[in-house]
Amino acid sequence: MEHIYNDFTINIATANGTGSQSSNLILLNSMFQMGVPVSGKNLFPSNIAGLPTWFIIRASDDGYQAPGNKAHIQVLMNKDSWRKDLEKLEPGTLVVYNEDVKLPIDRDDCPAFGMPMTKMARGINPKLARLMCNMYYVGGLAHLLGINEDVINECVSNQFKGKEKAIEFNLRAIGEGRAYAAENWADGSPYHVESRDKDPDTFLVEGNEAVALGAIYGGVNLLSWYPITPSSSMAESMIEWLPELREADDGGTTCAVIQAEDELAAAGMVVGAGWAGGRGMTCTSGPGISLMSEFIGLSYFAEVPGVIWDINRVGPSTGLPTRTQQGDLSMLYEASHGDTQHVVLIPGTVDECFEYGWKAFDYAERLQTVVFGFSDLDLGMNRWSTAGFEYPSTPMDRGKVIRTQKEMDAVANYGRYRDVDGDGIPYRTLPGSGLDPILYRGTGHDEDGIYSEDPDVYYATVSRLRRKIDGARDLLPAPLIREEEEQQIGVIYYGSMENSITEIDDMLESTGLSVSTCRVRALPYHSEVEGFIERHEKVIVLEINRDGQLYGILRKELPSNLLARLHSVAYTDGIPPRARVYADKILETLEVAA
């Protein structure tokens, strides 16, 4: 039998609330600790327990992190999705299944490996059998794939750290599963893991946790939040890490955490913290942004700094709360009523999640405005590899804050909203400084902060605000560009598409195309994005949404002579992007545009 090393996809079908997440993470972490390039995608339902859930593990020596275009190994544990999971398999897929479910494997073209997992789990502990039976497929897969036993044992100990009985029971279940497979699954598997050299400093971390750590190192003073999937784990991570990383001399923490009564209140607290000179943030998803819109407009027009992280789920309305999408981009860029424009930071890796976690506060205070961090469920709630974060090495950028009378006297003709430097950013004072009254207005105001309904004053104010945000383009993170010598096709993308773009690129170039890529990392977009478009004959704007939202923003803001070069490829179905799906859509679009 031909052996295929580190190039396969496992799809594990279980039921939510049965403890399968622990089993799946043990598999993922074991392969990672062996140095295998691996990624995991958790597709879970929006209820507490009972509905089908899937976990996709992709091993790829090429570093591909998309879910994969097919399953090479299918694990069946859930009767509710059993038949559909079987029907969609391609011939030759290996099927590992729990015989105690008592449903048929009616696929003669798929090798099947059964095990009485529930019965065996009852032999260890009848009360916990429903939870522990998942560990038997861990043992079975460990045998089929050749996963190192010592590594699995270590991962079990880490997964259940401090729970000695749980460690004992689960190690026994995995061992029994491995032994059963060795004795009964004689035909074996062509798929195997093979150890690779691993940087000892690398580890797996969720994007949400990386943002939380970045915010802590960025000097956050207030976290206000209201629970909503998929952002809640960001707040929970901050709550977990704050006592260790931000302990005050009196034993408390130097950051207040408030669970608000709703998203509207959470946003109001962020504005209050910014007005007082603190660094406030909240985290939410699309429905929360909708509710926060009034305070977002206040932050923009009154020029109060604050940070809001949107971890995108699928909309509209309640939509698919536990699926992923890039459908909130245009909403963030112009959130609230009237003419608004906001800074949006768009990380594509966990390293950037950490970096933007602290940089968001610097941008917010430098520009005196709300700054959005824009992630999604795929990047935010799945685990990704990092070799460690680059910590802030420069002082915090607190912006144009006047703290003393001497500083006040140095500003010619000070007014709260007067642009004395020509960059659209005024100077501000803070409560308690003893300086001029702290004037912040969400109503019409002149340069001194005095109420005004004068048409010329209003026009000058909103024009300055536009100049301020527009002028930040090249202050914000520049795009990451990989450019071919033959500048034929350009692909512009953003966010978590980073985890699929290498495979998409390889698929496109296998057809003979010369493809350059440009990852946009912030809005308003950097000037280098326009240069990238100028240098390529055709440019695909690749997005995980229905309407091509970045495509629309580019068409609105680019010079008209460049618009004919742009072509939109936008697709969303809630699943993290599969490379084959998007590569095919790009090829179809190019064929039509030829």
Side-chain angles (χ1 to χ4, degrees):
M1 180 184 297
E2 178 189 3
H3 284 188
I4 300 170
Y5 294 101
N6 301 346
D7 186 17
F8 56 84
T9 298
I10 307 171
N11 185 32
I12 302 170
T14 60
N16 197 33
T18 61
S20 59
Q21 182 72 343
S22 295
S23 306
N24 299 333
L25 291 177
I26 288 168
L27 278 171
L28 180 71
N29 286 320
S30 296
M31 295 166 67
F32 179 76
Q33 293 303 328
M34 290 178 66
V36 178
V38 67
S39 61
K41 309 282 188 183
N42 187 21
L43 305 180
F44 59 101
S46 55
N47 74 335
I48 296 173
L51 289 180
T53 183
W54 295 268
F55 195 85
I56 303 169
I57 297 176
R58 174 86 181 270
S60 169
D61 272 339
D62 291 322
Y64 297 153
Q65 299 182 82
N69 302 302
K70 67 174 185 177
H72 299 90
I73 302 173
Q74 174 71 56
V75 177
L76 297 178
M77 300 293 290
N78 185 7
K79 65 179 181 180
D80 292 334
S81 65
W82 189 283
R83 295 189 185 280
K84 284 189 176 181
D85 287 329
L86 262 180
E87 288 173 1
K88 66 184 180 183
L89 298 180
E90 293 189 9
T93 304
L94 307 187
V95 179
V96 173
Y97 67 101
N98 184 359
E99 293 177 349
D100 295 322
V101 175
K102 305 296 185 185
L103 287 175
I105 303 295
D106 47 4
R107 288 290 300 268
D108 295 335
D109 57 350
C110 293
F113 302 88
M115 184 188 301
M117 301 180 191
T118 306
K119 179 180 178 181
M120 294 172 75
R122 290 194 186 106
I124 298 177
N125 188 308
K127 292 182 179 179
L128 299 176
R130 184 169 177 264
L131 299 176
M132 282 201 308
C133 70
N134 296 305
M135 290 296 169
Y136 285 88
Y137 68 71
V138 174
L141 289 173
H143 167 73
L144 286 178
L145 299 172
I147 299 176
N148 184 284
E149 184 174 358
D150 291 337
V151 172
I152 280 198
N153 292 347
E154 180 183 351
C155 290
V156 170
S157 297
N158 291 334
Q159 184 70 31
F160 300 103
K161 192 172 184 178
K163 301 176 181 178
E164 296 305 318
K165 206 65 179 176
I167 294 172
E168 176 190 341
F169 283 170
N170 286 292
L171 284 176
R172 180 179 166 186
I174 292 171
E176 290 181 0
R178 188 190 286 267
Y180 183 95
E183 183 176 348
N184 296 280
W185 296 355
D187 291 337
S189 163
Y191 306 107
H192 297 273
V193 297
E194 186 172 69
S195 295
R196 298 285 183 261
D197 292 335
K198 177 181 177 294
D199 182 342
D201 293 330
T202 57
F203 58 94
L204 295 173
V205 65
E206 291 183 359
N208 281 352
E209 186 172 16
V211 172
L213 288 166
I216 291 171
Y217 279 92
V220 63
N221 301 120
L222 168 75
L223 167 68
S224 59
W225 68 298
Y226 184 79
I228 181 172
T229 302
S231 72
S232 296
S233 62
M234 184 182 295
E236 291 160 356
S237 293
M238 289 187 68
I239 292 167
E240 179 182 353
W241 282 106
L242 278 168
E244 182 174 341
L245 298 177
R246 293 284 295 277
E247 184 176 355
D249 294 338
D250 61 3
T253 65
T254 57
C255 176
V257 178
I258 304 173
Q259 182 173 325
E261 61 267 33
D262 53 35
E263 289 91 346
L264 183 63
M269 293 175 192
V270 170
V271 173
W275 173 80
R279 291 190 151 189
M281 68 167 282
T282 188
C283 52
T284 188
S285 193
I289 297 294
S290 298
L291 293 172
M292 294 176 180
S293 287
E294 186 172 356
F295 275 120
I296 291 167
L298 175 63
S299 173
Y300 175 77
F301 197 49
E303 298 181 74
V304 181
V307 173
I308 300 175
W309 277 88
D310 176 5
I311 314 303
N312 203 160
R313 67 192 209 178
V314 176
S317 187
T318 305
L320 306 178
T322 57
R323 295 291 185 264
T324 195
Q325 192 179 65
Q326 294 176 332
D328 292 350
L329 184 69
S330 57
M331 175 175 69
L332 296 185
Y333 194 40
E334 298 181 349
S336 198
H337 53 278
D339 291 318
T340 56
Q341 183 186 21
H342 306 293
V343 170
V344 185
L345 302 178
I346 315 171
T349 67
V350 288
D351 296 288
E352 289 176 350
C353 285
F354 178 86
E355 178 187 356
Y356 298 173
W358 64 266
K359 279 188 174 178
F361 293 112
D362 281 1
Y363 291 129
E365 293 199 297
R366 164 56 56 187
L367 299 169
Q368 297 178 32
T369 194
V370 63
V371 167
F372 289 105
F374 181 47
S375 180
D376 58 30
L377 185 147
D378 184 24
L379 180 58
M381 291 193 69
N382 287 318
R383 300 188 181 202
W384 308 91
S385 176
T386 178
F389 302 129
E390 185 175 339
Y391 297 94
S393 58
T394 56
M396 297 178 191
D397 186 347
R398 305 311 300 261
K400 296 182 178 182
V401 179
I402 297 175
R403 301 180 186 275
T404 66
Q405 188 62 49
K406 183 178 179 180
E407 292 174 336
M408 174 72 78
D409 294 340
V411 177
N413 192 23
Y414 171 79
R416 171 62 187 97
Y417 295 114
R418 181 165 287 113
D419 176 16
V420 298
D421 297 328
D423 57 4
I425 307 172
Y427 287 83
R428 65 180 180 132
T429 58
L430 300 177
S433 65
L435 300 174
D436 279 4
I438 315 303
L439 296 171
Y440 288 80
R441 289 191 183 275
T443 52
H445 48 262
D446 66 12
E447 292 177 314
D448 292 310
I450 297 172
Y451 179 76
S452 173
E453 295 185 5
D454 184 284
D456 293 335
V457 169
Y458 173 78
Y459 180 78
T461 299
V462 294
S463 297
R464 177 181 61 79
L465 289 172
R466 179 61 182 264
R467 186 171 73 254
K468 177 178 77 169
I469 301 301
D470 199 62
R473 289 181 186 274
D474 290 357
L475 172 70
L476 301 174
L480 293 184
I481 294 175
R482 184 199 59 78
E483 207 151 18
E484 295 290 340
E485 185 174 344
E486 183 184 351
Q487 294 168 338
Q488 180 186 16
I489 306 298
V491 175
I492 293 176
Y493 67 102
Y494 57 97
S496 63
M497 185 64 82
E498 170 68 13
N499 302 305
S500 302
I501 196 65
T502 300
E503 189 173 6
I504 293 171
D505 188 23
D506 287 349
M507 289 177 175
L508 295 176
E509 297 205 339
S510 70
T511 68
L513 292 174
S514 177
V515 180
S516 303
T517 60
C518 170
R519 176 156 66 87
V520 173
R521 299 196 292 168
L523 290 177
Y525 60 81
H526 197 279
S527 60
E528 290 183 17
V529 175
E530 185 173 326
F532 179 84
I533 296 169
E534 288 176 338
R535 294 190 297 273
H536 291 81
E537 300 170 19
K538 293 185 177 68
V539 177
I540 298 293
V541 185
L542 187 63
E543 309 184 56
I544 313 170
N545 56 54
R546 185 192 68 183
D547 295 335
Q549 295 181 17
L550 179 60
Y551 172 74
I553 291 169
L554 290 170
R555 286 187 58 84
K556 184 177 178 180
E557 298 185 6
L558 283 169
S560 59
N561 65 299
L562 295 179
L563 299 185
R565 303 184 185 206
L566 292 184
H567 304 273
S568 175
V569 172
Y571 176 77
T572 178
D573 58 7
I575 305 299
R578 285 91 71 209
R580 181 79 272 161
V581 171
Y582 287 84
D584 287 347
K585 290 187 177 297
I586 290 173
L587 292 171
E588 291 169 8
T589 300
L590 291 174
E591 184 177 350
V592 171

